[in-house]
């Protein structure tokens, strides 16, 4: 981790920012256009690759969706089986199916779910908000906690606090999500009865704004904490490594020599520069917010996309899998593209590349 | 500078304040809920793990959707709680003409959920939808072929004419939908989601609200012809993980939980206020043999072992399987020894082997049968067929299915003792290989309807593939006598006469052994018996709750009046925890301050 972070030079260091400013500025507008085009074309190639793999990758699954559905159908008949097969076009040649998938997807139609028989876009739309809410909140929480703890740990490098913080974070990082979630449920839901075991709202909550808001917040506590506990280690370690790099620099010594308080030096000087290499990490995580957290959502019955994906695999519900695969990949690719573009503004060195 | 500092300090206090109030508010929430404790007591919470996305009863296929149809709609005829035999629904009585082609139903006087009367026109219109909608009629092609005409003779009489005698009308529990709602969607029935809540039906419960993957809420139908249900509301609540559902039951969050495994049942068994239900399921697990893969025209294909088309070999193998031992050792004692294709829960048509045909576990008898049929023991301990083929069979086992993998080990051991070798093929596509005729035997399992005709037909000659691989035949079995009996029972409307034919059908499968039925699995459920009284099981004697065909359990369940009570303690604990949390936050804050002071020195 430390090496990885070290490849980024501290952008705010004096020789860097003063030296480049003059001559670079001139060709920067033309350069920016080319830069964006470069990155965007890369993203487009990735998206096309996703579109193609999205179709074939799930056909490798050995099970036949209609057969699986028949096993779960109280009134299975050969007629129903045949009807379903032709309704979903599964009886047509693979290439014909692929062509249809390609043209439909490009016109924004992701097909119809085999298990639920409703449009995939509707399934995704219904579950997008819960996923964004849960993963987004957890992301904010673990970035905040991870970055601040990481910065302090680096600042007190080698101290008891440093060791304890890193060890606890790594322990939680290594623990299976399923297990942590189950323990949280057993302690806080089953024994203490402080929180519900899952879901987003209670069936008995009146359908009005405030009661629902409070109820949702109440339901969110356990899954959000579980998810953040598992994920903040990554941010902590990156921030810690990046901070350690910064701390060796002269400008820190200068700041201290000026008589600034330690906390101010840490927050205003070191941490700002240390944040740069973590930008990509955070943007990638924003892309991943849509993917949700399969295990957290499953343990806590969170009505999001992660669980839907998990469940679609067991059928396999091909249109849902394809649709989610495209949405997941596209969100990550686009978030990366955004990070790349922002780098132009955050880090002047990227303009040379 | 000063103002900026002050703002920052103020905002920091604000954050701290928020951090304290939000959890406090969350802990107060359960207290609010307990205020209307009576209402909570009158709600029945049921755990489910399946989602309903489509509320159109003609397009639904899953169990949870099946349950929706059972409680939301009343069919003409239901399957009784006693033993799944036909009993009254919307039809008070029904009779069939002597030629078996005209069924006359007399409807009872009752109303839809919106208090409009239920009439014969509604029944006529329901079949109008089934016969005329392209998607719906394709899915129920068997019904469509059967029905010639449906006519409302007067307000309360419907006459259905069919093309050949059949029990289907009596046993299909087809939902009847209200004409005054559905005719607004004339011609576009399968495009309509039927999702205008509250949904109008005539069953004991009315679906009034739902949230995707979270809950479905039903209200009691006070006008239900059997009388209003015991609870005011029925709520299906989602649990995607069975262990979470069990925790929910223990926490008093949900009242009925199904789909349990053995460990969960053992844990819940004997817990105060919780009653476990272990009941036989409407399903079986069997070994099926490649009895000679061939097309419907008799063209053989695949690499199946020729010895398995010999009845004697299959009978010998039947003797070499100790079904009870498998249930005890593999299933932890949860299961029931299976005899044939109809599970024991269907008491009226279930068949049990007499002493003169019963096959008991007896390795000596198995060896004797093989000796007699000319399969002599070879020097290497493997028998050889009269044609010189060693008796080594390929055994397809579904990869990742622990039960089947361990069952296979027992079977392999027993078979080796009678000189039959087994080559395991563990794969995810064993069934494709079986249908290609390349594997000698595999496991197979099915859920069975009160009318077992579909599964009986799967063993008829007509199910052999036109071209390999394919077809719907479970074991490439073909026996004309069997085929005739299956057709006869489907047309026999007298229950007793039909049961006799079904007994013969089951005996043929048992003695011919194209499939060896191993066990009927169990359904494992648990419910909060402090809160719920008077649950009707199906079958009433030792049956299940959640997997029922019919609304019996949810309709009969009534509050004991003793439930609840857990909330007040949880509020206390909550308040306590809020205090602890507040103290912790304050403590952390203090510690921080001291640290900055240290830093400064």
């Amino acid at each position: 981790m430390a090496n990885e972070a070290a490849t980024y030079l501290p952008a705010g260091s004096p020789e860097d920012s003063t030296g480049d400013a003059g001559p670079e500025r001139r060709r920067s507008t033309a350069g920016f256009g080319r830069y964006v085009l470069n990155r965007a074309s890369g993203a487009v190639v990735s998206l096309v690759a996703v579109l193609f793999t999205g179709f074939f990758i799930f056909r490798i699954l050995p099970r036949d969706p209609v057969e699986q559905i028949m096993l779960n159908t109280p009134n299975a008949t050969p007629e129903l089986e045949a009807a379903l097969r032709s309704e979903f076009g599964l009886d047509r040649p693979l290439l014909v199916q692929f062509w249809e998938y390609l043209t439909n997807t490009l016109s924004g139609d992701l097909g119809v779910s085999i298990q639920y028989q409703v449009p995939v876009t509707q399934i995704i739309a219904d579950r997008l908000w819960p996923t964004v809410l849960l993963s987004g909140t957890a992301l904010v929480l673990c970035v905040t906690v991870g970055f601040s703890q990481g910065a302090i740990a680096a600042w007190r490098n080698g101290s008891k606090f440093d060791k304890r913080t890193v060890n606890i974070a790594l322990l939680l990082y290594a623990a299976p999500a399923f297990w942590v979630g189950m323990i949280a449920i057993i302690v806080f839901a089953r024994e203490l009865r402080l929180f519900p075991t899952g879901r987003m709202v209670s069936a008995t909550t009146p359908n009005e704004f405030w009661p629902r808001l409070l109820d949702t917040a109440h339901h969110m506590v356990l899954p959000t904490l579980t998810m953040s506990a598992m994920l903040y280690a990554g941010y902590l370690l990156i921030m810690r490594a990046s901070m350690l790099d910064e701390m060796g620099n002269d400008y820190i010594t200068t700041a201290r020599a000026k008589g600034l308080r330690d906390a101010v030096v840490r927050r205003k000087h070191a941490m700002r520069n240390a944040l740069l290499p973590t930008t990509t990490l955070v943007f990638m995580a924003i892309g991943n917010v849509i993917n949700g957290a399969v295990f957290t959502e499953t343990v806590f019955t969170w009505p999001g996309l992660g669980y839907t994906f998990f469940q679609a695999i067991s059928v396999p519900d091909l249109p849902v899998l394809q649709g989610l695969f495209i949405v997941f990949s596209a969100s990550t690719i686009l978030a990366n593209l955004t990070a790349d573009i922002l780098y132009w503004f955050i880090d002047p060195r990227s303009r040379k590349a | 500078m000063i103002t900026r500092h002050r703002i920052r300090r103020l905002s920091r206090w604000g954050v701290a304040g928020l951090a304290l109030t939000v959890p406090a508010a969350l802990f107060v929430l359960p207290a609010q809920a307990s205020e209307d404790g009576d209402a909570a007591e009158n709600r029945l919470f049921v755990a489910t793990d399946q989602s309903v996305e489509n509320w159109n009863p003609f397009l639904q296929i899953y169990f949870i959707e099946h349950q929706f149809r059972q409680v939301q709609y009343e069919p003409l005829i239901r399957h009784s709680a006693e033993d799944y035999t036909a009993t009254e629904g919307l039809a008070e009585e029904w009779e069939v003409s002597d030629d078996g082609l005209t069924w006359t139903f007399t409807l009872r006087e009752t109303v839809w959920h919106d208090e409009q009367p239920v009439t014969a026109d509604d029944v006529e219109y329901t079949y109008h939808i089934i016969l005329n909608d392209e998607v719906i009629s394709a899915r129920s092609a068997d019904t469509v072929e059967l029905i010639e005409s449906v006519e409302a003779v007067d307000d309360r009489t419907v006459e259905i004419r069919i093309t050949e005698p059949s029990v289907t009308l009596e046993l299909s529990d087809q939902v009847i939908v209200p004409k005054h709602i559905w005719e607004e969607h004339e011609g576009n029935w399968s495009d309509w989601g039927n999702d205008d809540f509250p949904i109008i039906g005539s069953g004991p419960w009315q679906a009034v609200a739902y949230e995707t993957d979270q809950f479905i809420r039903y209200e009691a139908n006070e006008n239900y012809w059997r009388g209003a249900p015991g609870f005011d509301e029925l709520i299906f609540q989602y649990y995607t993980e069975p262990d979470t559902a069990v925790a929910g039951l223990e926490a008093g969050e949900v009242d009925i939980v199904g789909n349990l495994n053995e460990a969960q049942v053992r844990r819940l068994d004997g817990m105060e206020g919780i009653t476990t239900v272990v009941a036989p399921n409407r399903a079986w697990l069997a070994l099926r043999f490649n009895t000679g893969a061939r097309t419907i025209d008799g063209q053989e294909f695949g690499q199946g072992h020729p010895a398995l088309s010999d009845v004697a070999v299959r009978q010998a193998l039947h003797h070499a399987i100790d079904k009870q031992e498998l249930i005890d050792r593999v299933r932890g004692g949860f299961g029931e020894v299976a005899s044939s294709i109809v599970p024991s829960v269907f008491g009226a048509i279930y068949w049990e082997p007499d002493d003169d045909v019963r096959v008991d576990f007896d390795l000596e008898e198995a060896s004797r049968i093989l000796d007699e049929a000319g399969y002599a023991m070879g020097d290497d301990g493997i028998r050889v067929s009269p044609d010189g083929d060693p008796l080594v069979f390929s055994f397809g086992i579904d990869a990742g299915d622990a039960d089947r993998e361990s069952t296979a080990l027992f079977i392999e051991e027993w078979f080796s003792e009678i000189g039959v070798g087994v080559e395991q093929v563990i794969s995810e596509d064993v069934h494709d290989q079986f249908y290609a005729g390349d594997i000698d035997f595999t496991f197979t399992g099915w859920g069975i309807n009160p009318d077992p005709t579909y599964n009986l037909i799967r063993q008829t000659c007509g199910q052999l593939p036109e071209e390999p691989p394919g077809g719907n035949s479970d074991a490439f079995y073909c026996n004309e006598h069997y085929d005739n009996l299956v057709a006869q029972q489907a047309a026999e409307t007298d229950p007793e006469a039909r049961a006799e034919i079904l007994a013969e059908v089951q005996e043929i499968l048992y003695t011919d052994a194209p499939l060896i039925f191993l066990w009927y699995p169990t359904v494992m459920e648990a419910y909060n018996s402090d809160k719920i009284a008077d649950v009707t099981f199906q079958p009433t004697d030792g049956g299940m709750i959640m997997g029922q065909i019919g609304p019996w359990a949810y309709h009969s369940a009534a509050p004991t009046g003793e439930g609840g009570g857990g909330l007040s303690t949880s509020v206390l604990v909550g308040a306590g925890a809020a205090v602890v949390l507040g103290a912790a936050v304050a403590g952390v804050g203090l510690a921080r301050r001291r640290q900055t002071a240290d830093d400064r020195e």
Side-chain angles (χ1 to χ4, degrees):
Chain A
M1 282 276 172
N3 288 335
E4 195 180 304
T7 57
Y8 301 97
L9 280 170
S13 47
E15 67 277 2
D16 197 38
S17 49
T18 51
D20 285 349
E24 286 291 318
R25 183 153 298 166
R26 245 179 186 210
R27 55 185 181 96
S28 71
T29 32
F32 181 66
R34 201 182 315 136
Y35 177 80
V36 169
L37 203 70
N38 246 336
R39 303 290 149 146
S41 59
V44 168
V45 170
S46 312
L47 282 174
V48 170
V50 162
L51 194 59
F52 276 76
T53 38
F55 180 81
F56 291 103
I57 196 167
F58 298 111
R59 313 269 151 173
I60 299 171
L61 290 172
R63 285 180 301 260
D64 172 10
V66 175
E67 239 169 61
Q68 290 294 313
I69 288 174
M70 286 299 106
L71 289 179
N72 280 305
T73 305
N75 305 310
T77 59
E79 288 82 5
L80 177 62
E81 194 173 333
L84 285 179
R85 233 176 258 287
S86 79
E87 255 177 63
F88 294 108
L90 293 169
D91 51 355
R92 276 172 290 169
L94 199 62
L95 279 178
V96 176
Q97 291 185 45
F98 178 62
W99 179 246
E100 260 182 22
Y101 154 84
L102 212 57
T103 48
N104 285 343
T105 308
L106 289 175
S107 62
D109 174 7
L110 294 178
V112 175
S113 155
I114 296 179
Q115 39 175 349
Y116 301 127
Q117 338 234 320
V118 293
V120 173
T121 39
Q122 183 190 325
I123 288 188
I124 294 179
D126 282 351
R127 293 163 173 84
L128 185 63
W129 164 240
T131 291
V132 169
L133 180 68
L134 174 66
S135 305
T137 315
L139 177 67
V140 169
L141 205 66
C142 51
V143 166
T144 323
V145 173
F147 280 4
S148 59
Q149 296 262 300
I152 299 175
W155 203 252
R156 303 198 208 149
N157 187 16
S159 71
K160 242 186 206 160
F161 176 85
D162 181 22
K163 283 180 191 149
R164 201 173 352 118
T165 312
V166 172
N167 284 339
I168 292 176
L170 283 180
L171 191 75
L172 287 170
Y173 190 68
F178 221 74
W179 183 77
V180 175
M182 216 55 229
I183 298 283
I185 286 172
I186 287 171
V187 174
F188 296 104
R190 194 181 82 192
E191 298 304 326
L192 297 175
R193 302 194 181 182
L194 292 178
F195 299 101
T197 57
R199 291 167 306 284
M200 212 166 102
V201 283
S202 306
T204 52
T205 304
N207 201 357
E208 293 152 27
F209 181 75
W210 284 108
R212 279 188 75 113
L213 182 80
L214 274 179
D215 193 34
T216 305
H218 189 215
H219 280 78
M220 266 180 73
V221 175
L222 286 187
T224 316
L225 289 182
T226 307
M227 204 169 151
S228 318
M230 322 249 341
L231 293 180
Y232 83 98
Y235 303 96
L236 184 144
L237 291 178
I238 288 277
M239 179 46 102
R240 184 174 170 277
S242 174
M243 271 294 269
L244 283 175
D245 274 351
E246 293 302 321
M247 279 163 55
N249 285 328
D250 293 344
Y251 72 95
I252 299 283
T253 323
T254 318
R256 279 179 150 167
K258 283 197 293 189
L260 292 179
R261 278 198 299 139
D262 249 19
V264 175
V265 178
R266 187 178 75 220
R267 214 171 38 237
K268 298 191 85 178
H269 293 254
M271 211 166 146
R272 276 196 191 165
N273 285 323
L275 272 174
L276 194 62
T278 54
T279 313
T280 321
L281 191 72
V282 173
F283 267 94
M284 275 178 71
I286 290 177
N288 286 336
V289 160
I290 313 264
N291 305 14
V294 174
F295 289 115
T296 313
E297 287 187 1
T298 306
V299 181
F300 291 102
T301 318
W302 196 260
L305 294 176
Y307 171 69
T308 306
F309 189 72
F310 172 76
Q311 200 209 6
I313 284 183
S314 67
V315 172
D317 192 341
L318 299 169
V320 171
L321 291 172
Q322 288 159 5
L324 285 175
F325 182 75
I326 291 172
V327 170
F328 290 169
S329 317
S331 65
T332 309
I333 291 171
L334 293 180
N336 266 325
L337 181 65
T338 318
D340 276 348
I341 293 173
L342 279 183
Y343 249 74
W344 179 270
F345 301 103
I346 299 173
D347 185 354
R349 280 165 302 156
S350 64
R351 296 173 199 185
K352 288 187 207 159
Chain B
M1 269 321 250
I2 293 167
T3 47
R4 205 196 280 170
H5 268 291
R6 189 170 292 163
I7 287 168
R8 191 176 297 153
R9 200 173 308 154
L10 276 175
S11 68
R12 209 174 293 165
W13 277 110
V15 170
L18 247 173
L20 276 175
T21 14
V22 170
L26 301 184
F27 288 118
V28 171
L29 215 66
Q32 274 184 336
S34 74
E35 274 168 25
D36 51 2
D38 286 345
E41 221 168 88
N42 279 322
R43 291 171 171 144
L44 181 61
F45 288 87
V46 181
T48 177
D49 62 353
Q50 286 182 332
S51 199
V52 177
E53 286 285 339
N54 197 329
W55 301 90
N56 186 325
F58 298 105
L59 299 178
Q60 295 176 322
I61 41 183
Y62 277 99
F63 279 117
I64 176 74
E65 298 171 332
H66 180 70
Q67 282 180 328
F68 160 76
R69 293 202 301 275
Q70 298 292 341
V71 299
Q72 168 77 27
Y73 292 100
E74 189 74 2
L76 287 175
I77 300 174
R78 283 203 183 270
H79 296 293
S80 72
E82 288 73 30
D83 56 2
Y84 293 92
T85 47
T87 187
E88 295 167 55
L90 284 179
E92 244 169 11
E93 43 188 63
W94 60 96
E95 57 185 33
V96 54
S97 63
D98 289 339
D99 59 3
L101 296 178
T102 306
W103 290 68
T104 311
F105 297 89
T106 309
L107 304 190
R108 71 182 61 257
E109 275 183 56
T110 184
V111 291
W112 297 104
H113 291 142
D114 58 2
E115 309 211 342
Q116 300 266 353
V118 176
T119 69
D121 284 340
D122 295 310
V123 180
E124 190 185 288
Y125 193 77
T126 300
Y127 280 96
H128 171 62
I129 296 174
I130 298 174
L131 298 178
N132 292 300
D133 186 281
E134 205 180 321
V135 175
I136 296 168
S137 61
R139 291 208 187 168
S140 16
D142 45 345
T143 315
V144 174
E145 262 172 43
L146 184 69
I147 291 182
E148 193 175 287
S149 69
V150 179
E151 192 192 342
V153 179
D154 60 46
D155 266 5
R156 291 182 49 207
T157 315
V158 186
E159 202 178 86
I160 300 183
R161 299 178 63 78
I162 53 180
T163 50
E164 56 181 4
S166 164
V167 285
T168 304
L169 284 182
E170 196 173 73
L171 296 177
S172 67
D173 71 352
Q174 172 62 51
V175 299
I176 301 300
V177 298
K179 180 181 179 187
H180 64 280
I181 303 286
W182 285 75
E183 66 185 351
E184 290 166 24
H185 304 273
E186 179 79 34
N188 302 313
W189 302 289
S190 57
D191 294 330
W192 184 45
N194 187 30
D195 48 2
D196 299 336
F197 289 86
I199 298 174
I200 309 295
S202 56
W205 299 94
Q206 180 181 26
V208 294
Y210 96 109
E211 286 278 338
T212 305
D213 283 355
Q214 304 204 61
F215 61 80
I216 310 170
R217 201 153 63 82
Y218 295 91
E219 276 173 14
N221 174 9
E222 302 295 330
N223 297 319
Y224 183 56
W225 74 269
R226 281 191 169 89
F231 281 89
D232 295 339
E233 286 186 14
L234 170 66
I235 294 167
F236 284 84
Q237 188 155 287
Y238 286 91
Y239 290 90
T240 44
E241 165 56 37
D243 282 324
T244 315
V246 172
L249 177 67
E250 290 179 52
E253 191 183 84
V254 65
D255 304 315
I256 306 178
V257 174
N259 275 338
L260 301 177
N261 62 31
E262 293 135 38
Q264 290 163 335
V265 166
R266 290 210 179 89
R267 174 181 161 77
L268 292 171
D269 203 22
M271 206 172 267
E272 210 191 311
I274 292 177
T275 301
T276 53
V277 176
V278 176
N281 200 353
R282 296 186 298 268
W284 43 253
L285 184 80
L287 280 187
R288 53 142 164 212
F289 296 106
N290 177 350
T291 61
R294 60 204 180 286
T295 63
I296 203 158
D297 304 325
Q299 179 110 38
E300 293 183 10
F301 62 87
Q303 303 171 16
H305 198 295
L308 283 175
S309 52
D310 185 344
V311 182
V313 173
R314 302 198 300 259
Q315 283 170 341
L317 297 180
H318 200 172
H319 277 284
I321 296 173
D322 189 343
K323 299 175 184 177
Q324 188 59 50
E325 179 83 356
L326 289 175
I327 293 168
D328 290 343
R329 302 284 292 275
V330 178
R331 303 280 301 173
F334 293 103
E336 194 185 338
V337 169
S339 53
S340 193
I341 203 163
V342 176
S344 60
V345 285
F346 302 119
I349 52 171
Y350 174 63
W351 169 83
E352 254 183 305
D354 298 334
D355 285 342
D356 51 333
V357 292
R358 185 177 25 248
V359 174
D360 290 314
F361 177 62
D362 187 344
L363 293 175
E364 280 170 31
E365 172 69 7
S367 299
R368 193 192 60 75
I369 295 173
L370 288 174
D371 287 340
E372 207 168 80
Y375 297 86
M377 185 66 94
D379 297 334
D380 53 356
I382 298 288
R383 289 176 188 270
V384 179
S385 75
D387 297 335
D389 298 320
L391 286 196
V392 178
F393 300 129
S394 55
F395 187 178
I397 302 158
D398 312 71
D401 188 323
D403 271 6
R404 292 184 183 189
E405 283 180 16
S406 26
T407 303
L409 291 179
F410 283 94
I411 289 176
E412 193 179 340
E413 175 70 25
W414 289 321
F415 283 7
S416 80
E417 285 182 40
I418 57 167
V420 172
V422 167
E423 271 174 13
Q424 291 197 5
V425 180
I426 302 182
S427 158
E428 290 209 346
D429 62 353
V430 283
H431 298 283
D432 290 343
Q433 295 181 48
F434 184 87
Y435 286 118
D438 290 338
I439 282 196
D440 294 322
F441 61 105
T442 74
F443 293 100
T444 186
W446 281 92
I448 304 297
N449 290 325
D451 176 7
T453 303
Y454 170 59
N455 289 88
L456 297 176
I457 286 179
R458 286 183 71 91
Q459 322 312 331
T460 57
C461 305
Q463 301 300 306
L464 292 170
E466 278 170 22
E467 271 178 48
N472 285 309
S473 176
D474 276 331
F476 303 108
Y477 182 64
C478 180
N479 173 344
E480 272 172 33
H481 178 50
Y482 170 89
D483 289 8
N484 289 336
L485 290 173
V486 170
Q488 269 179 41
Q489 65 82 30
E492 181 57 70
T493 49
D494 175 52
E496 276 172 34
R498 181 168 183 247
E500 267 175 43
I501 308 173
L502 280 171
E504 199 178 336
V505 165
Q506 293 177 76
E507 184 170 336
I508 293 176
L509 287 180
Y510 185 78
T511 50
D512 258 10
L515 297 102
I516 296 177
F517 298 90
L518 299 174
W519 64 69
Y520 307 124
T522 44
V523 174
M524 294 182 255
E525 305 167 332
Y527 67 98
N528 180 343
S529 41
D530 268 358
K531 182 172 165 181
I532 309 171
D534 305 328
V535 187
T536 298
F537 300 100
Q538 186 185 41
T540 32
D541 186 16
M544 62 174 101
I545 298 179
M546 294 183 64
Q548 295 189 358
I549 301 183
W552 315 114
Y554 304 136
H555 177 253
S556 62
T560 55
E562 290 163 20
L567 275 172
S568 56
T569 49
S570 85
V571 170
L572 279 179
V573 174
V579 170
V580 171
L581 205 88
V585 171
V588 169
L590 277 176
R592 276 242 158 133
R593 279 201 151 177
R594 200 173 304 146
Q595 276 172 5
T596 5
D598 288 343
D599 282 348
R600 269 187 211 154
E601 279 168 25

